[in-house]
Amino acid sequence: MAHADFILYIVKLVLGAVSAFCAILLWSKTHDGAVMCIVAGVVILYAGVIYQMLLDMGFVPLRSPEIFGISIFSLFFAVVPPVLFTIGFMQMILRSKR
């Protein structure tokens, strides 16, 4: 791993940890379903950064189940956070229209 990649991962890990921590603090104060979806999206997004870093460093084996040539884990970390964000935002939009 190049020096620049390492610095980029450090930045992603630090900022991701701060955002996940703040998201969990927000959820513990509100206990709202929409906020819970957004918090879950942030935490899974952070887990995806950690997974990608471990994959790049060689700690996680490259062999994993695939769908159409795409790793299930990579697909999960790419698809689930935006879906959770969308669900959370839609819940907030629908609630504000009432």
Side-chain angles (χ1 to χ4, degrees):
M1 183 181 305
H3 185 67
D5 290 337
F6 185 71
I7 291 173
L8 184 61
Y9 274 123
I10 294 297
V11 169
K12 285 182 180 181
L13 286 173
V14 169
L15 294 177
V18 170
S19 65
F21 180 74
C22 290
I24 292 169
L25 281 178
L26 174 66
W27 176 65
S28 70
K29 302 250 184 237
T30 62
H31 297 289
D32 183 29
V35 173
M36 193 165 101
C37 284
I38 294 171
V39 169
V42 169
V43 171
I44 292 172
L45 193 63
Y46 182 61
V49 169
I50 293 172
Y51 173 74
Q52 188 63 42
M53 185 183 72
L54 292 175
L55 193 65
D56 289 345
M57 290 182 164
F59 291 118
V60 176
L62 293 176
R63 293 185 191 149
S64 65
E66 295 182 350
I67 297 176
F68 301 113
I70 302 170
S71 167
I72 288 178
F73 298 120
S74 297
L75 187 64
F76 176 81
F77 290 126
V79 171
V80 172
V83 168
L84 288 170
F85 293 149
T86 303
I87 292 170
F89 293 140
M90 291 301 293
Q91 286 179 352
M92 288 181 182
I93 290 169
L94 292 174
R95 184 179 23 201
S96 68
K97 283 190 168 191
R98 293 180 191 172

